[in-house]
């Protein structure tokens, strides 16, 4: 029973991290109708920023966390302005290939700067890295903090999209891109703001995710990024609640599969789930069917 509780709590933590990352995918797709496959590499950059600031420069952890968010936000805006903005009216395949190219560019730059060697996480974030006991199960405090923080951030994001002017502009653009432009909405500003929010959430997710890992490598953002993308598709890409629900389902499923002794197949299950959901319900759990206008 204690083992089951431990895997359940860990699954909630993992699902929460996937949710933070998946929100970046679903928001960008919902507004710009493009898949930013460089999003996983922003996670890696966020983790490396904390390591450089704290482990190498000796800065306080909270300073490293703030700088990580700022660096990820800046990187997200630069990627959008340099790589995606010129292709706004290009075919989706062109944008997709560009996104893959940006991903490999970031990885190779990181490989050059780090020498390709994993960087150890020698100074974990204090307090949340402490070990505690929950119903007899031993875990780190970050395991409990992550779901709570994720829910709070999602509530703030929902408030932002429902109650603010920029949020209404985002919802208008997601419903009808061309009409929103005709109504005077500055689409470029809305898309840039979406990248800002998505990159900031990815940075927070990176800090929470790598707290439980001994080191960070150049390719460390690839797998959590892919699984977060699967979560976004599973829940209905473009839907904020869908991304969160899909992420929690995938996180819990992975950890429960490990709990019953089939950890080798935990990753395979995630991608098999993607195939099944695309065959059965291509729009995802909360996705809306889009009809082309003639």
């Amino acid at each position: 029973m204690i083992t089951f509780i431990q895997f359940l709590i860990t699954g909630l933590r993992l699902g929460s991290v996937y949710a933070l990352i998946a929100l970046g995918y679903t928001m960008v797709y919902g507004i710009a109708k493009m898949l930013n496959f460089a999003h996983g590499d922003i996670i890696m950059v966020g983790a490396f920023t904390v390591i450089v600031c704290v482990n190498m420069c000796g800065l306080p952890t909270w300073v490293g966390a703030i700088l990580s968010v700022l660096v990820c936000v800046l990187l997200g805006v630069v990627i959008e302005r340099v790589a995606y903005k010129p292709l706004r009216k290009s075919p989706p395949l062109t944008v997709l290939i560009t996104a893959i190219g940006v991903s490999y560019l970031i990885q190779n730059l990181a490989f050059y700067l780090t020498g390709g060697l994993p960087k150890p996480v020698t100074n974990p974030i204090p307090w949340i890295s402490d070990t505690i006991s929950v119903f007899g199960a031993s875990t780190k405090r970050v395991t409990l903090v992550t779901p709570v923080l994720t829910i709070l951030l999602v509530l703030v994001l929902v408030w932002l999209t429902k109650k603010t002017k920029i949020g209404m502009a985002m919802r208008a653009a997601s419903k009808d891109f061309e009409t929103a432009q005709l109504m005077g909405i500055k689409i470029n500003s809305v898309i840039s703001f979406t990248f800002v929010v998505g990159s900031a959430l990815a940075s927070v997710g990176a800090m929470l995710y790598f707290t439980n890992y001994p080191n960070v490598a150049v390719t460390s953002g690839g797998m959590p990024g892919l699984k977060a993308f699967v979560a976004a598709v599973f829940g209905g890409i473009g839907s904020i609640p869908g991304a969160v629900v899909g992420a929690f389902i995938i996180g819990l499923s992975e950890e429960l599969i490990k709990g019953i002794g089939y950890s080798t197949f935990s990753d395979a299950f995630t991608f098999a789930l993607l195939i099944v959901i695309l065959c059965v319900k291509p729009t995802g759990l909360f996705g809306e069917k889009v009809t082309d206008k003639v």
Side-chain angles (χ1 to χ4, degrees), residues 22-73:
L23 287 171
Y25 282 111
T26 201
M27 289 174 63
V28 169
Y29 182 84
I31 294 173
K33 296 298 184 288
M34 61 159 290
L35 296 174
N36 179 24
F37 277 114
H39 197 59
D41 300 292
I42 294 177
I43 304 167
M44 174 266 296
V45 171
F48 269 126
T49 302
V50 175
I51 290 175
V52 170
C53 291
V54 178
N55 294 358
M56 298 182 182
C57 299
L59 297 175
T61 305
W62 65 271
V63 175
I66 293 175
L67 289 176
S68 174
V69 173
L70 293 177
V71 168
C72 287
V73 166

Side-chain angles (χ1 to χ4, degrees), residues 207-229:
M207 287 182 279
L208 296 173
Y209 182 78
F210 289 108
T211 300
N212 282 344
Y213 288 84
N215 53 58
V216 179
V218 172
T219 56
S220 293
M223 188 56 71
L226 279 174
K227 290 180 179 179
F229 169 70

Side-chain angles (χ1 to χ4, degrees), residues 168-170 172-173 177 179-188 190:
M168 288 187 283
M170 291 167 65
F177 199 86
T179 303
Q181 281 183 307
L182 294 174
M183 295 299 290
I185 293 175
K186 297 179 180 179
I187 294 297
N188 289 331
V190 171

Side-chain angles (χ1 to χ4, degrees), residues 50-289:
V50 175
I51 290 175
V52 170
C53 291
V54 178
N55 294 358
M56 298 182 182
C57 299
L59 297 175
T61 305
W62 65 271
V63 175
I66 293 175
L67 289 176
S68 174
V69 173
L70 293 177
V71 168
C72 287
V73 166
L74 179 61
L75 179 61
V77 172
V78 169
I79 290 173
E80 191 276 324
R81 290 294 176 91
V82 175
Y84 300 147
K85 184 179 178 181
L87 303 176
R88 197 83 81 215
K89 297 182 180 180
S90 301
L93 183 59
T94 303
V95 182
L96 178 62
I97 294 173
T98 302
I100 296 173
V102 170
S103 174
Y104 279 105
L105 174 63
I106 295 174
Q107 286 187 24
N108 280 273
L109 286 175
F111 187 91
Y112 173 77
L113 293 173
T114 63
L117 299 175
K119 298 299 180 182
V121 184
T122 55
N123 293 317
I125 301 175
W127 188 72
I128 67 172
S129 299
D130 297 339
T131 301
I132 61 174
S133 179
V134 181
F135 299 112
S138 179
T139 185
K140 289 185 178 181
R141 188 176 277 116
V142 67
T143 307
L144 300 180
V145 171
T146 303
V148 176
L149 181 59
T150 298
I151 292 171
L152 290 176
L153 289 174
V154 170
L155 291 175
V156 171
L157 184 60
V158 170
W159 173 83
L160 180 71
T161 56
K162 298 289 186 182
K163 301 296 183 180
T164 64
K165 187 176 180 180
I166 186 66
M168 288 187 283
M170 291 167 65
R171 287 189 288 124
S174 67
K175 289 293 183 182
D176 196 318
F177 199 86
E178 289 78 12
T179 303
Q181 281 183 307
L182 294 174
M183 295 299 290
I185 293 175
K186 297 179 180 179
I187 294 297
N188 289 331
S189 299
V190 171
I191 293 177
S192 295
F193 182 76
T194 304
F195 271 83
V196 166
V197 175
S199 299
L201 292 174
S203 174
V204 176
M207 287 182 279
L208 296 173
Y209 182 78
F210 289 108
T211 300
N212 282 344
Y213 288 84
N215 53 58
V216 179
V218 172
T219 56
S220 293
M223 188 56 71
L226 279 174
K227 290 180 179 179
F229 169 70
V230 174
V233 174
F234 181 79
I237 194 162
S239 168
I240 291 177
V244 176
V245 172
F248 275 109
I249 291 175
I250 288 176
L252 285 169
S253 299
E254 280 190 16
E255 289 302 316
L256 291 177
I257 288 173
K258 293 177 182 178
I260 60 177
Y262 292 96
S263 57
T264 307
F265 301 101
S266 60
D267 291 343
F269 170 81
T270 301
F271 299 109
L273 186 63
L274 174 63
I275 296 172
V276 171
I277 195 65
L278 288 176
C279 292
V280 177
K281 199 174 188 299
T283 57
L285 296 177
F286 296 86
E288 298 179 358
K289 186 177 181 180

